[in-house]
Amino acid sequence: MQIGMWIDDDRPLTAVAADVENAERLGFARAWFGQRNGWDPLTLIAAVGATAPRIGLGTAVALTWPHHPLALAAQALTTQAAVGGRLTLGVGPSHQVIVESRYGYRWTRPGRHVEDHLAVLAPALRGEVVDVRTATVAAAGRVEVPDVPRPPLLLAAHGPRMLRLAGERADGVITTWSGPRGLAEYVVPQVCAAAAGRPDPQVVVGVVASLTHDPDAAREYVAENFGRAGELPSYRRSLDREGFSGPADTVVAGDEAELEKVVRRFADAGATEIQLCPVGPPTERARTVAFFAELARGELRA
């Protein structure tokens, strides 16, 4: 199992680039970028990729609703060329409140929207001609980018339809706010069953963690800053499956022995990569990153 690093992109470009360089130096497998209220993640990857020429680079995630799939394929392949084939394209629909309030799209038939989007995006990334006309998307043509390898395509997923699509139409899944039990009993079996006959899917799980003497403080921080994520339907389903009241219950917090124990549980559950999101005061975050880097360099495997 690999360990990747979530990069906080809510800062100046030079600071983001420095964090990517540091993640590479420490031995993390991939640096991951989200699409929130600031930098565009694919453009950001193209901009900082040369800073660290060996680490993998991924989006977690680029949003489907505001991107036509042919345009997203062209942008992804351009970024892939710029970073020498190190891109992993993670995509997802986001959430109704974001899609409708920020982008002005109607959140209708999200499962069908994602399925139709992938019906264009996946073959377009392979350079194939597409001709898709459905209730949610219309696309015809191809993306002609020479000599660029197709990036792995991952889908953010929590519910059964999306997990099936992650196995059938993509190269795996990105999931978050999940514990090892939910991963082992629900996420991995559904994705792997859907991927039957195809290469083994990637299973990337976001893990909020803190190497700390005060685990309760770390959970209180997450409850205060990320608690509303538990109100979003897709996350709520994941939390309910494991009996969690909110995102704070998923936090991996404690000493080195506790953190390594839980990381090994994720590996045993079928995760192919942990995406680390460190929390806590700056000194604790630095200790958390350093410890997970030790695990990453130790090539912890399931």
Side-chain angles (χ1 to χ4, degrees):
M1 186 183 75
Q2 296 180 326
I3 299 179
M5 177 75 182
W6 170 266
I7 301 296
D8 183 0
D9 59 0
D10 191 19
R11 292 171 306 128
L13 184 62
T14 53
V16 174
D19 278 354
V20 176
E21 187 176 14
N22 189 52
E24 179 180 88
R25 180 183 61 80
L26 290 171
F28 286 98
R30 281 188 277 205
W32 293 94
F33 303 83
Q35 183 170 354
R36 296 183 291 175
N37 301 326
W39 303 108
D40 172 77
L42 285 166
T43 308
L44 184 62
I45 287 172
V48 305
T51 302
R54 295 179 301 278
I55 193 170
L57 303 160
T59 59
V61 293
L63 305 187
T64 56
W65 287 95
H67 291 103
H68 187 279
L70 279 179
L72 181 56
Q75 186 181 9
L77 289 168
T78 302
T79 302
Q80 174 77 317
V83 299
R86 291 179 289 138
L87 175 68
T88 296
L89 179 62
V91 302
S94 188
H95 307 278
Q96 182 173 4
V97 64
I98 296 172
V99 168
E100 293 189 343
S101 64
R102 182 172 178 82
Y103 296 107
Y105 290 95
R106 292 183 60 199
W107 181 268
T108 56
R109 304 179 69 186
R112 170 54 58 185
H113 157 78
V114 172
E115 188 160 353
D116 293 345
H117 196 281
L118 293 177
V120 176
L121 178 62
L125 289 171
R126 297 191 294 266
E128 300 173 7
V129 176
V130 298
D131 188 359
V132 176
R133 309 278 172 176
T134 73
T136 72
V137 68
R142 63 183 299 185
V143 179
E144 300 183 62
V145 180
D147 303 323
V148 178
R150 180 190 74 90
L153 174 63
L154 304 182
L155 179 64
H158 296 85
R161 183 173 188 173
M162 299 290 279
L163 291 168
R164 174 178 61 79
L165 291 173
E168 286 182 353
R169 302 288 184 89
D171 300 302
V173 64
I174 299 175
T175 193
T176 190
W177 305 126
S178 181
R181 183 169 64 85
L183 201 70
E185 296 179 359
Y186 191 79
V187 173
V188 171
Q190 295 213 34
V191 175
C192 288
R198 305 180 66 221
D200 291 343
Q202 296 186 42
V203 179
V204 179
V205 55
V207 174
V208 177
S210 179
L211 179 58
T212 178
H213 299 297
D214 191 354
D216 288 340
R219 295 186 179 97
E220 288 172 8
Y221 174 88
V222 171
E224 182 178 345
N225 290 275
F226 301 100
R228 294 190 65 182
E231 301 172 11
L232 300 171
S234 59
Y235 294 155
R236 187 67 260 165
R237 284 193 293 270
S238 291
L239 294 167
D240 287 345
R241 278 197 299 267
E242 298 193 64
F244 294 148
S245 61
D249 291 343
T250 72
V251 175
V252 180
D255 61 15
E256 290 88 346
E258 176 64 19
L259 266 58
E260 183 167 7
K261 179 179 72 175
V262 179
V263 167
R264 291 191 178 278
R265 287 182 61 205
F266 274 111
D268 292 341
T272 62
E273 182 173 342
I274 278 179
Q275 181 193 97
L276 170 66
C277 178
V279 296
T283 54
E284 287 188 358
R285 292 191 188 201
R287 290 174 55 209
T288 304
V289 170
F291 178 70
F292 272 80
E294 290 180 11
L295 296 180
R297 292 193 299 271
E299 297 184 348
L300 179 72
R301 298 188 183 276

